[in-house]
């Protein structure tokens, strides 16, 4: 029913899908650029010992996570939208601000401000509704017959509905992109495994560089798959270097 749909939308508003909630495409691309710098360092320092390689990969992930945390904070400040004094705005002004946010800012950056607008609007409209109902009852009306229609509430609801549609469409598209990128990275890792298994030293280096270029051209992956994917890649990169160095000309 419509009431159930509204409840579902409100739940989704409070607890959005985990994968995309903290990051937009630009931010995740920034993460990938930082990661690539660390990957290059690991590749240059790869050793012939698998145990040492694994420790290096673990350290690389820790370095990535530290840098990502620092850059995420900077990016959050860069993309922050000014928080106005929504609590002291009238209902019409709150609806206007909601419309303005939708027109002027990317939907993935709006949650904090829109949550504040929702809290202010619900509080003020709830007080207005209670006032109208009290007046209705004072005039002898029956509580079950009370109804109140507000043009500003209808306008506000329309903007809020537009926001939820835009938000859901954005995160659905982002989720598809992330999953597609994950498949592409898995494909590179599979090809890297086959390259190691063939161990053709005459063509291995050239083929390895091609795979490396493919890997670096792929976009971000879902956050919950991020570390495992990179660890897997690091492992096979190090094994590749082991094969190459084992057959180097003295």
């Amino acid at each position: 029913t419509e009431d159930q749909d509204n409840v579902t939308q409100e739940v989704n508003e409070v607890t959005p899908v985990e994968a995309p909630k903290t990051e937009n495409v630009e931010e995740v691309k920034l993460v990938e650029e930082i990661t690539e710098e660390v990957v290059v360092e690991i590749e240059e320092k790869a050793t012939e010992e698998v145990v040492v390689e694994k420790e290096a990969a673990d350290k690389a992930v820790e370095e990535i996570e530290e840098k990502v945390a620092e850059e995420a904070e900077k990016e959050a400040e860069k993309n922050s939208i000014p928080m106005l004094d929504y609590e002291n705005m009238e209902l019409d002004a709150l609806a206007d601000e909601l419309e303005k946010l939708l027109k002027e800012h990317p939907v993935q950056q709006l949650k904090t401000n829109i949550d504040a607008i929702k809290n202010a609007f619900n509080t003020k409209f709830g007080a207005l509704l209670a006032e109208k109902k009290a007046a209705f009852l004072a005039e002898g009306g029956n509580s079950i017959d009370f109804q109140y229609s507000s043009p500003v509430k209808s306008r506000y609801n329309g903007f809020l509905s537009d926001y939820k549609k835009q938000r859901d469409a954005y995160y659905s598209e982002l989720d598809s992109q992330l999953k597609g990128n994950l498949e592409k990275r898995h494909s590179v890792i599979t090809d890297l495994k086959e390259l190691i298994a063939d161990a053709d030293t005459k063509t291995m280096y050239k083929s390895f560089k091609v795979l490396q270029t493919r890997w670096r051209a792929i976009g971000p992956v879902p956050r919950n798959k991020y570390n495992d994917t990179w660890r897997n890649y690091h492992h096979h990169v190090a094994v590749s270097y082991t094969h190459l160095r084992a057959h180097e000309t003295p």
Side-chain angles (χ1 to χ4, degrees):
T1 63
E2 182 177 353
D3 290 340
Q4 290 174 326
D5 291 340
N6 289 337
V7 170
T8 300
Q9 288 180 331
E10 289 303 317
V11 171
N12 289 337
E13 181 65 15
V14 175
T15 56
V17 179
E18 179 183 358
K21 68 184 178 181
T22 60
E23 59 217 16
N24 53 48
V25 172
E26 291 75 18
E27 180 179 348
V28 184
K29 284 183 178 178
L30 177 62
V31 171
E32 292 295 311
E33 292 174 0
I34 297 169
T35 302
E36 285 301 332
E37 295 176 2
V38 179
V39 172
V40 170
E41 294 177 5
I42 295 302
E43 291 174 351
E44 291 176 346
K45 297 176 181 179
T47 67
E48 296 182 0
E49 295 293 333
V50 174
V51 174
V52 175
E53 168 272 317
K54 185 177 185 304
E55 292 175 352
D58 290 343
K59 182 178 180 181
V61 172
E62 293 176 0
E63 292 175 0
I64 292 168
E65 290 174 344
E66 290 177 1
K67 289 188 178 183
V68 167
E70 294 173 0
E71 294 299 329
E73 291 179 1
K74 296 177 182 178
E75 193 68 13
E77 293 177 2
K78 176 182 176 182
N79 292 334
S80 63
I81 301 172
M83 183 65 68
L84 305 183
D85 187 12
Y86 298 124
E87 292 184 358
N88 290 317
M89 289 184 181
E90 297 300 324
L91 293 174
D92 281 317
L94 289 170
D96 290 341
E97 283 299 321
L98 181 53
E99 180 183 25
K100 183 178 178 181
L101 288 173
L102 289 171
K103 288 181 177 179
E104 297 183 358
H105 300 280
V107 69
Q108 67 271 22
Q109 296 179 12
L110 299 182
K111 185 180 186 305
T112 301
N113 291 72
I114 287 184
D115 282 349
I117 289 177
K118 285 175 59 182
N119 290 336
F121 192 97
N122 291 339
T123 299
K124 288 183 178 294
F125 189 77
L128 175 62
L129 199 62
E131 179 184 327
K132 296 294 183 180
K133 185 174 183 179
F136 176 78
L137 296 176
E139 294 175 358
N142 192 320
S143 178
I144 196 172
D145 296 324
F146 174 74
Q147 293 182 351
Y148 178 69
S149 177
S150 169
V152 66
K153 183 66 163 62
S154 297
R155 194 162 68 94
Y156 165 83
N157 284 346
F159 295 142
L160 193 60
S161 177
D162 289 343
Y163 162 67
K164 291 176 180 178
K165 289 176 182 177
Q166 292 180 33
R167 178 203 61 192
D168 292 347
Y170 169 81
Y171 286 126
S172 177
E173 174 63 23
L174 178 60
D175 186 55
S176 296
Q177 291 180 8
L178 296 177
K179 289 179 179 177
N181 290 337
L182 181 62
E183 291 180 4
K184 292 178 182 178
R185 292 193 183 276
H186 284 167
S187 176
V188 172
I189 293 172
T190 298
D191 290 346
L192 190 55
K193 291 178 181 178
E194 293 177 357
L195 181 65
I196 295 170
D198 292 342
D200 185 349
T201 56
K202 295 180 180 179
T203 60
M204 187 173 184
Y205 180 76
K206 183 178 180 180
S207 299
F208 171 75
K209 298 303 289 184
V210 170
L211 291 176
Q212 194 176 51
T213 300
R214 276 176 55 194
W215 177 270
R216 291 174 176 171
I218 301 172
V221 301
R223 175 172 291 189
N224 62 339
K225 302 293 184 180
Y226 185 81
N227 283 356
D228 287 343
T229 304
W230 277 101
R231 288 176 188 272
N232 196 4
Y233 175 69
H234 287 323
H235 169 74
H236 290 94
V237 164
V239 174
S240 296
Y241 272 103
T242 298
H243 280 279
L244 289 170
R245 292 183 177 180
H247 295 86
E248 285 181 349
T249 304

